[in-house]
Amino acid sequence: HMALKDLVDAKDFLELPVVTCDNIEVAKNEEGRRSEAIREVYEKFFKEYLAAHAEQLRVDPSRVVAGLGYTPQELRLRKIPNHYVPQAPMGYSDNVHETCYAMETGLPQTELKKMPPVRPLTERDALSAAYIEGKAYADNDSLMEYLHKVQNNIIGMRIANQYFGRPNLSFLARGKAGMPSGYLIAYEGGEQEKGMIYISDLAADPEDKMAGVLLVRNFLRSYFEHYGVGDRPFIPVYTNAREKTSYRWIMKLAQAEAKKHGVIVELEEAGTYEQGPDTMHNILIYIGKNQEEIERQKQGYRNLAEYQGGGYEEAGEDAKEENW
């Protein structure tokens, strides 16, 4: 495996993405006779489409590229170096050659608008997340998920949130220069009557000391905005914290945010394990209005904590089916 940071320049994230056609496939018996008309149809369509929707889609309206694939040379499209990397969802593409075709729309090129320091994570951020992951785990590649898994996690999280009507708890951070500096993937899961929040991944560029803190703060603020209110109760937060990074400060941030909302938090460690050169801590963070509520939560999640900390022997055979 190769980290995305070794393939993509960080400055590429400061440019607007470009709409890309997989290829322009034309029936063989029409390649010569209709080529000019086909090219004109594509150029006219994309000029009108991007004039109307480029800003909403956050793409560059000035050009469209197409893969060589089955695109006939008779279309007489201009060839340019192919430096385009697909955004999520990654999959099959014919735009994989050293060069590609370009169609100019005649619309003015626009620049990427300044992004907020932290914003909700979407599937279009898969490249950014994979890029950050390579920097965050450069000292321990056993923690790497790589692009396809990162992408699938984000897409799965987004689909589940929409289907079950759950709030967004995942965020992307950008540094002062506007380049991606960290991401956090978190979502609600588990049994319906006994769900929990799972922080599945938290990674930050080591050169940006505040990225991880900003991400966790935004996660906690979103949690308190949506949980413990209305018919959505407080439920625990579970994660695997890296000893030399998030384990040191995630509880402090949770306590500070809980104090603002007049509630209490309590951490329960459910075992440790070694992954590469790192020690990882399985932790459950209980959140409640009072100690009695915290204790009720503990009873409901006791088997899970024991299972995560010591295996099935301590948790009992029922934990295999009862918890996850």
Side-chain angles (χ1 to χ4, degrees), residues 93-113:
S93 175
D94 278 324
N95 188 29
V96 294
H97 300 85
E98 291 184 4
T99 58
C100 61
Y101 290 116
M103 290 177 277
E104 309 297 334
T105 65
L107 299 171
Q109 186 173 4
T110 56
E111 296 182 356
L112 183 68
K113 291 183 179 179

Side-chain angles (χ1 to χ4, degrees), residues 56 58 196 202 259 288 315 319:
Q56 178 187 356
R58 290 185 289 118
M196 66 164 50
L202 169 60
K259 187 176 181 181

Side-chain angles (χ1 to χ4, degrees), residues 10-27:
K11 293 181 180 178
D12 293 335
F13 293 103
L14 299 179
E15 296 182 4
L16 279 169
V18 173
V19 172
T20 304
C21 299
D22 182 50
N23 63 75
I24 301 174
E25 196 162 352
V26 179

